[in-house]
Amino acid sequence: MPSKIYESFLKKNPSLQARHDLGRSIRKQVSRSAIGHFHVESKRQSPIDILLAQAETRIPEYIPIRHARMAVDPFAFFRGGAAIMAKDLSSLPSPPITVQLCGDMHVSNFGFFSTTEHQLVFGINDFDETLPGNFDWDLKRLTASALIASQLLGQDQAYGEMIVRNISSTYRNYLHRYAAIPYVDLKRSYIDDKVLVLTAARNARTASQKYLHRLLDRARTNTNHYITEKFIEETPKGPRFIERLPLIVHAEISAFGGGPVIDLLDQALQTYTISLLSDRRHLLNRYKLIDWVRKVVGVGSVGTSCWALYLQGLDIHDPLFLQFKQAQKSVLSPFFPNEQFSTEGERVVYGQCLIQGAPDLFLGFGKTVEVDFYIRQLRDMKGGISIGGDGINTKVFPDFAKLFGWALANAHARSGDPAVLAGYYGRSEALDDALVKFSISYSKQNEADYDTFLKAIKSGKISCAQE
């Protein structure tokens, strides 16, 4: 008698048309126009209460820094308010088509990273909130962030709508492409630097091409040797991280358990190495831990335990920098089941591997008596994207909005069923229209919440400090 596993391999997968029809049928449960609906619950939880609840599980001395970063402008507030938006989305119509959600999708959450073969790839670059869930949650958060970012750049609503449509239409077009790609080829479907340059040469404005090349050059130089030059100094004790109080600190005592940090790191590295494949574990064991510092990173992550680790191989010319980052419960966990992961670090690593396909060589996870965590290389060929200043401006935003839609389609196609998604989305602009409507409504809600946040700072209910 054949085994059940063998029998499962004998079963035929649904045809492309059947999967497409399934997606189309889901419109009967949640119409595409319903994606555009946004309403505030009559007893909506205060955004201030949500932020204060998050602060209870974080390092107290860093909470004022987190709030200071969120207070810069409405877009910064939006970046730090993933938990606020998750609560709002939970009461809205949502088609039950599951993908691996980023969970904190916004226009500054894309960038470049290196595959295990040191190939430069563009995609989503932050996975702290990742969890399986309904695909529209990522789309709504991304398009709302795009409209808010457009306002930050001083643009009118027509410009913001154009940016949202560029994201949605590109996402739709690539879903239809990915739906017909063989599964193994889809797994290997990266947005690498060569594809990016070729696509930009065909379709992007000259300003966008120049900005893309600048980002690529910056990512290529962001190596372990570059970090050594920028963040390491010679001391009587040997090479050490340069402190920058209060953001980069040689802390000796753990912020959570009060024990020696070296004991925490020793336990962390032991559990982390078990999560690595044997060849990578062998490689890591060739390196010696030299120094470590506690580091403040990002906006939404500020207050979680984050460490930079400096290791050496052959000598000072063979550096390795790792980032130890605490993994807390996802902001999506109250709304989507999270039973398949033994630790929050495993959840993050699983999501990153599923979405990126070929992530960091040293990506792994572990658990100490104090925290769940994951570890990855600190900056090896990594490069992020910012809005305004030296980042995305009004000239390049339309082209990069298409790139964001492409990258999100790639992530959702890898982790979900692109044919079902394409069937639901269709080929018309129905969902583009809905996302424009939603983004306009949510940008107004974000503005109101931001004003409430600033008033809470002024009243002293929310702590805020200058960095």
Side-chain angles (χ1 to χ4, degrees), residues 354-422:
L354 196 58
I355 289 173
Q356 286 188 337
D360 195 296
L361 181 67
F362 289 103
L363 180 65
F365 61 91
K367 183 179 180 67
T368 72
V369 293
E370 298 179 14
V371 296
D372 293 356
F373 67 89
Y374 66 96
I375 287 179
R376 61 187 178 186
Q377 289 189 80
L378 182 58
R379 285 196 182 188
D380 189 35
M381 287 181 69
K382 291 181 173 69
I385 289 179
S386 59
I387 302 295
D390 190 40
I392 285 179
N393 58 36
T394 56
K395 292 181 179 179
V396 307
F397 203 177
D399 289 326
F400 272 79
K402 295 176 184 178
L403 184 53
F404 299 153
W406 181 7
L408 186 60
N410 184 274
H412 285 180
R414 286 174 174 281
S415 61
D417 189 323
V420 175
L421 288 164

Side-chain angles (χ1 to χ4, degrees), residues 35-40 78 85 139-151 155-165 431-448:
I35 298 296
H37 297 171
F38 175 70
H39 62 269
V40 177
F78 181 86
M85 189 171 189
L139 263 175
K140 286 176 176 176
R141 184 155 174 80
L142 175 57
T143 53
S145 79
L147 195 68
I148 295 166
S150 298
Q151 295 165 350
Q155 299 303 295
D156 59 17
Q157 186 167 298
Y159 180 93
E161 288 185 19
M162 178 263 291
I163 296 296
V164 171
R165 290 184 184 278
L431 252 172
D432 305 0
D433 295 340
L435 288 168
V436 166
K437 181 181 177 183
F438 173 84
S439 299
I440 292 172
S441 297
Y442 202 82
S443 69
K444 294 176 181 177
Q445 183 62 56
N446 182 73
E447 185 75 40

Side-chain angles (χ1 to χ4, degrees), residues 265-339:
L265 293 180
D266 182 64
Q267 184 182 17
L269 290 171
Q270 288 185 46
T271 60
Y272 159 67
T273 54
I274 295 172
S275 75
L276 296 175
L277 294 174
S278 57
D279 62 320
R280 298 173 195 187
R281 189 183 314 141
H282 176 77
L283 175 59
L284 181 66
N285 285 335
R286 291 177 177 267
Y287 285 82
K288 175 184 178 181
L289 182 61
I290 301 297
D291 194 25
W292 56 89
V293 285
R294 194 167 70 197
K295 197 170 183 291
V296 175
V297 294
V299 178
S301 298
V302 177
T304 58
S305 184
C306 181
W307 295 82
L309 312 180
Y310 170 39
L311 300 92
Q312 280 185 13
L314 289 171
D315 50 35
I316 194 172
H317 302 295
D318 183 15
L320 174 63
F321 292 91
L322 300 177
Q323 183 185 55
F324 167 109
K325 198 171 183 186
Q326 180 183 3
Q328 297 186 314
K329 282 188 175 296
S330 167
V331 297
L332 305 181
S333 60
F335 316 110
F336 296 107
N338 182 23
E339 299 175 353

